Amino acid sequence: ADEVGAPWEAVVAGAESAEAGAPLRAVAARWRLFATALEAEDASAAKEHAEAALQLAGAALPASHPAVVGSVCRLGCAMGEVGDAISAEGLYRSAIDDLEACSHSLAGGGG
């Protein structure tokens, strides 16, 4: 469970202030709950925690932030593991779109 929240803990550590880090700590906590639920084979609870984590993350960081994109991929992987291939595919496509938008922005393509 710790490894799932670890990328978010790194983002929290880079926050400019404790106040700025608070929503990011909530994201990390939700990812830890996600991992715990997944380990307990409770796919419904895992999906609920992951969706809440992504919603919190989206409010705190741009969709193209590496931690957000990685989290979308992580949820896609988990949904695939529990047999929800349709959700998994949608999540993977979303992550790819976000990565492509980020690469265009970095290449000077505007976004």
Side-chain angles (χ1 to χ4, degrees):
D2 286 342
E3 66 190 46
V4 174
W8 285 99
E9 294 299 340
V11 174
V12 170
E16 293 180 13
S17 67
E19 183 178 311
L24 302 172
R25 279 190 293 282
V27 174
R30 279 293 192 154
W31 278 117
R32 285 190 297 274
L33 290 169
F34 159 82
T36 301
L38 205 58
E39 289 170 6
E41 298 181 5
D42 186 346
S44 176
K47 185 175 180 179
E48 178 184 326
H49 290 302
E51 288 173 345
L54 288 174
Q55 185 175 21
L56 290 166
L61 297 170
S64 60
H65 189 283
V68 176
V69 174
S71 294
V72 172
C73 287
R74 185 175 298 114
L75 177 56
C77 184
M79 292 300 97
E81 287 179 17
V82 299
D84 190 348
I86 293 171
S87 291
E89 180 182 7
L91 289 159
Y92 288 138
R93 288 183 185 275
S94 176
I96 290 168
D97 290 346
D98 291 339
L99 286 171
E100 286 176 347
C102 181
S103 69
H104 285 121
S105 178
L106 290 173

